[in-house]
Amino acid sequence: MSGVGMRMVCVALWGLVCLLAVASSASAVDRQIGLVERFPLSGAPTFTHEVISPIDVVSEGHVSSVKNGVKFDVYFDQGIKKSAAIYAINTGRKQLALTPQHHKAILEDLIHRKFTVIVADFKDKKLSGLDLEKYVVQLTADARDVADGVVQLRPQPTPRGPAASSKTDTFANDYFTLMPGFTVERDVTWFRYGDIPAPFRKEIARQLDKPFNEADADKANTYDIIYPVFGPAVGVLTNYGSDEKGRETYYPLENRYLVHAFALKNLAIVHQQYFNDPVGGYPKGYGFYGDQFAVGFMRHLKGNASRYHLDTQRICCFGHSKGSEVPGMLVNKLRATPPFLYGKVDFKRTGLGEVDKSIRSSYSDFSTEIACAILGAGVANNEMRSDKMLPWGQEPAKNISPFFIFADHNELIRERTRELVAKAKAHGVVVETVELHSHIWPSGAAYDQASDFADRNLRLDY
């Protein structure tokens, strides 16, 4: 080959390398920019009753079906899926007024992230109010049926109880109901065991007579979050937790539908796992720093409010049984103040100085105040009756957020719940309650009351 020819080849190769580098760089930048920058809105998005037309989603596979008056379109790429997102359009509720391109971008982004996308069109279903929220159980069952053979999810930890699964071993909590304009992120890490100062971790290990392992510092606590891609800021329901050994079936399973159904209110939903302390497990290790864990999570959530379009003034916390402990702490605004923030640490007589027992937060300037809480009787019930671990202060009506509590489990817990409710009302605290006759999640009339309570306290007027 001549010198001129060699130079031409080199120039061509160099151009190709540059082109690939630019394409690679553009791809990386494109991922970093995100949907909002790639698909900007001409004005602030609003909630309207406008009908959403069929969405032209590009995917490798597509199946359709109609079940119980709802039209289902399932879109997917080949390969193992992480989760399934049910995009519920034209439900009769207000929905974000977005262009078809915006909806398309949201759904194709989910497909790119290995979700199976199920567009559920309610245009002919005509449900209203609570009937829509309660339909989430049937909606999930129908969506799973339509997607059966398509959704092949990652292996799941063996649950302690019977698993709700399709023929493809799809667990109920791998399905997320989304309102138009919303998306979902899974396994967002916000807290690691290493965030606890090493002297504190060593003291926990000493008192529990368990080995201390520095490698455990990477043990993480995560949450899943459903949130609007494009504003405006919406109210939030946080749910603590799932099983400490894996993911409990905390989404629609027979009558267990409160958390998932609240997504149909255009609420952001944050589901936080129990933190399985690598030394003490749950709840022994957690019993040393539960207060700081609770306030740290709320501050983290508020510190990321702009990213997720969350209204920090409209946060309601839900927890059932032992999962009521974190929201039960957050009900009391005094819990985050210095005299009480270290209550659990000091109660354990660790003898640590303030630096060594303080779990630092990047968002320490944010308030931990919440608008309300919905609690299943249990751990929170017992703690809220105590002046030692949950101080009521001189003005409980100002210090304690409105809360709704289910009296369940057994007669002893129901009796304690009555005492707690009477105490709260006597101090001017806004509290509502309903009695259940067993240790179950709210259903029927009990759900109706909790739903109405949330609507009033979160002022869901959109």
Side-chain angles (χ1 to χ4, degrees):
M1 183 180 291
S2 68
V4 173
M6 181 63 72
R7 283 197 299 273
M8 290 178 66
V9 170
C10 290
V11 168
L13 288 173
W14 175 249
L16 179 60
V17 169
C18 291
L19 181 62
L20 291 173
V22 169
S24 175
S25 175
S27 175
V29 171
D30 189 51
R31 285 196 297 271
Q32 291 172 359
I33 289 175
L35 292 176
V36 176
E37 286 79 7
R38 281 186 282 146
F39 298 90
L41 293 170
S42 57
T46 58
F47 285 100
T48 74
H49 286 291
E50 292 180 17
V51 173
I52 296 175
S53 301
I55 305 167
D56 182 23
V57 179
V58 176
S59 65
E60 294 176 0
H62 174 215
V63 296
S64 290
S65 183
V66 175
K67 285 186 173 292
N68 291 309
V70 177
K71 184 176 185 298
F72 293 91
D73 284 285
V74 183
Y75 302 95
F76 57 96
D77 283 351
Q78 302 302 326
I80 300 298
K81 318 300 187 299
K82 289 183 178 179
S83 308
I86 306 172
Y87 205 67
I89 66 174
N90 304 321
T91 60
R93 292 274 174 89
K94 287 184 178 181
Q95 51 198 18
L96 280 171
L98 305 176
T99 67
Q101 289 74 23
H102 287 100
H103 293 296
K104 173 183 170 73
I106 291 169
L107 298 182
E108 290 178 358
D109 176 69
L110 285 165
I111 293 171
H112 177 72
R113 291 191 281 123
K114 301 301 181 184
F115 279 78
T116 291
V117 168
I118 305 165
V119 179
D121 193 341
F122 279 72
K123 187 170 61 176
D124 299 325
K125 185 64 178 176
K126 309 298 182 186
L127 291 176
S128 61
L130 289 169
D131 289 337
L132 173 64
E133 295 171 39
K134 293 179 179 180
Y135 192 74
V136 72
V137 177
Q138 187 62 52
L139 171 66
T140 305
D142 289 346
R144 288 172 57 221
D145 188 36
V146 173
D148 192 29
V150 169
V151 183
Q152 299 174 8
L153 299 178
R154 58 188 172 186
Q156 297 288 321
T158 303
R160 291 183 300 180
S165 62
S166 70
K167 295 174 185 176
T168 53
D169 294 326
T170 300
F171 285 72
N173 61 327
D174 280 305
Y175 278 72
F176 295 82
T177 299
L178 313 179
M179 285 293 273
F182 285 64
T183 191
V184 56
E185 285 188 34
R186 299 206 73 173
D187 302 319
V188 179
T189 295
W190 79 272
F191 177 83
R192 289 182 173 84
Y193 193 56
D195 294 335
I196 302 172
F200 194 177
R201 287 185 280 142
K202 289 178 180 178
E203 178 63 15
I204 294 172
R206 185 190 69 79
Q207 289 202 25
L208 296 178
D209 194 24
K210 296 287 183 70
F212 173 79
N213 186 357
E214 192 64 40
D216 287 335
D218 285 334
K219 180 73 176 180
N221 183 247
T222 66
Y223 59 81
D224 302 331
I225 181 167
I226 298 171
Y227 65 97
V229 178
F230 307 91
V234 298
V236 188
L237 178 75
T238 73
N239 176 37
Y240 183 79
S242 66
D243 183 79
E244 64 269 26
K245 296 180 181 177
R247 293 187 179 278
E248 196 175 31
T249 46
Y250 50 79
Y251 286 137
L253 176 60
E254 297 175 350
N255 61 342
R256 301 183 178 189
Y257 55 85
L258 186 146
V259 176
H260 214 45
F262 271 32
L264 292 171
K265 295 178 182 287
N266 284 307
L267 282 171
I269 305 294
V270 183
H271 181 89
Q272 183 188 2
Q273 286 182 290
Y274 290 139
F275 183 54
N276 188 20
D277 183 302
V279 173
Y282 185 95
K284 287 185 179 180
Y286 178 81
F288 283 80
Y289 53 84
D291 306 77
Q292 297 190 67
F293 184 91
V295 301
F297 174 67
M298 186 50 57
R299 285 173 171 154
H300 166 88
L301 200 59
K302 291 187 177 185
N304 287 274
S306 59
R307 173 186 175 187
Y308 294 124
H309 302 289
L310 309 180
D311 187 337
T312 59
Q313 302 302 308
R314 294 197 281 188
I315 298 179
C316 189
C317 296
F318 172 72
H320 186 248
S321 193
K322 66 180 179 180
S324 67
E325 187 169 12
V326 165
M329 293 173 189
L330 293 169
V331 162
N332 195 306
K333 303 169 191 177
L334 297 178
R335 201 73 181 240
T337 58
F340 310 113
L341 187 59
Y342 306 107
K344 287 185 179 293
V345 192
D346 295 336
F347 182 75
K348 299 291 185 179
R349 299 184 180 181
T350 60
L352 296 171
E354 188 164 340
V355 172
D356 289 337
K357 66 183 179 183
S358 299
I359 302 175
R360 294 177 179 82
S361 169
S362 303
Y363 310 101
S364 57
D365 292 337
F366 286 89
S367 163
T368 62
E369 185 172 340
I370 60 176
C372 61
I374 300 173
L375 309 169
V379 177
N381 182 320
N382 291 331
E383 285 213 341
M384 291 174 74
R385 290 169 62 248
S386 166
D387 286 325
K388 178 184 292 184
M389 296 303 285
L390 194 79
W392 287 67
Q394 299 301 313
E395 298 181 286
K398 293 182 180 180
N399 294 334
I400 300 177
S401 301
F403 67 94
F404 187 103
I405 188 164
F406 295 99
D408 60 5
H409 287 66
N410 52 49
E411 183 53 37
L412 175 61
I413 295 297
R414 287 191 283 274
E415 181 181 342
R416 289 177 176 174
T417 304
R418 294 180 203 121
E419 294 173 359
L420 171 62
V421 171
K423 175 182 179 180
K425 288 184 175 179
H427 286 88
V429 176
V430 175
V431 58
E432 297 178 28
T433 187
V434 63
E435 288 202 3
L436 303 175
H437 296 294
S438 61
H439 183 37
I440 61 172
W441 284 41
S443 61
Y447 174 85
D448 297 353
Q449 291 176 250
S451 179
D452 178 65
F453 173 83
D455 288 353
R456 283 183 278 111
N457 283 279
L458 294 179
R459 307 185 308 282
L460 295 183
D461 50 2
Y462 52 72

